[in-house]
């Protein structure tokens, strides 16, 4: 039995879909906040149980019988995520799971200015102290490219703060590789990087976008404080804007620059490239 938390979310749900291509449905379980939203999994024979990181007793029930548990990291900026992750780890230990896989973040090392890094560092330390085998999947940035590029298709410019090299990674590729690890016999102890094979800057992306669209796409560096003010002006809460700014600061400091081959090895093919990911929205 493999239990996936957060299975009604984007990453967790996609991992489950890839697991269904590799395992019988009755070997897969999901632990979700709202079981009604997971009915489509139950209809396919997957075990669906209610469980949240805030409710240790429910977690223990939803984890019962699991050999492996995929802990999808929480992202509520208002919550004490380290304590919530501790609840999940303790529930996994109580369920006598054989291994925990945790969705960490590339560059989860001391000194990284990107604020969520501290949550991942602390959670990895909890895993190391838990006495259970664990793997931290330090995933490359896998959000939609427009989240970091801005509305370049409409403006013809990538107007963002100074950046640095980042191996932007496709979410579906990460989900598939995670399913490969869960369903296969290859295991890793401790942290591993799952990233696209090449790190690129916004200058690189602008050149690629120009070639794809056949029109110039310009890269403009926006002052940090001006960028925050611009975000606030379009309705982004200041706290959230400043949190995102720390991501650009981490990128320019090189915390996300390392790219590795493991993702491609697990997929058995090349991960989706920046050009392929940009081409989809252009075509539509």
């Amino acid at each position: 039995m493999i239990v996936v938390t957060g299975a009604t979310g984007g990453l967790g749900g996609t991992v489950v879909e890839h697991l269904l291509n590799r395992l019988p449905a009755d070997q897969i379980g999901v632990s979700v906040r709202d079981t009604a939203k997971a009915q489509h999994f139950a209809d396919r024979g997957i075990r669906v149980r209610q469980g949240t990181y805030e409710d240790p007793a429910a977690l223990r029930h939803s984890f019962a019988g699991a050999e492996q548990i995929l802990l999808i990291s929480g992202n509520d900026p208002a919550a004490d995520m380290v304590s919530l992750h501790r609840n999940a780890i303790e529930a996994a230990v109580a369920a006598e799971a054989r291994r925990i896989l945790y969705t960490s973040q590339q560059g989860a090392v001391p000194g990284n200015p990107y604020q969520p890094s501290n949550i991942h560092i602390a959670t990895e330390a909890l895993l190391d102290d838990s006495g259970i085998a664990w793997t931290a999947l330090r995933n490359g940035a896998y959000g939609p490219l427009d989240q970091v590029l801005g509305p370049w298709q409409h403006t013809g410019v990538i107007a963002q703060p100074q950046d640095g090299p980042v191996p932007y990674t496709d979410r579906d590729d990460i989900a598939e590789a995670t399913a490969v690890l869960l369903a296969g016999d290859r295991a890793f102890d401790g942290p591993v990087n799952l990233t696209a094979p090449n790190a690129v800057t916004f200058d690189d992306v602008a050149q690629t976008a120009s070639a794809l669209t056949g029109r110039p796409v310009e890269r403009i560096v926006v002052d940090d404080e001006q960028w925050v003010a611009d975000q606030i002006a379009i309705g982004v809460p200041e706290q959230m804007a400043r949190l995102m700014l720390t991501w650009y600061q981490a990128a320019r400091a090189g915390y996300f620059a390392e790219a590795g081959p493991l993702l491609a090895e697990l997929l058995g093919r090349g991960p989706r490239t920046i050009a392929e990911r940009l081409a989809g929205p252009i075509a539509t």
Side-chain angles (χ1 to χ4, degrees), residues 5 14 17 29 53 62 70 76 90 106 122 164-166 170 195 200 213 218 241 261 276:
T5 67
T14 310
E17 294 294 340
Y53 293 171
S62 64
L70 175 64
D76 183 351
E90 291 176 349
Q106 183 191 17
V166 177
D170 182 65
T195 73
V200 297
T213 60
E218 184 182 2
E276 290 170 332

Side-chain angles (χ1 to χ4, degrees), residues 8 34 41 70 77 80 83 96-97 120 123 135 137 140 167 176 198 279 283:
T8 54
D34 183 350
F41 289 139
L70 175 64
D80 181 356
S83 293
E96 299 183 348
H120 295 301
T123 301
T135 306
L137 306 174
E176 182 177 349
N198 299 303

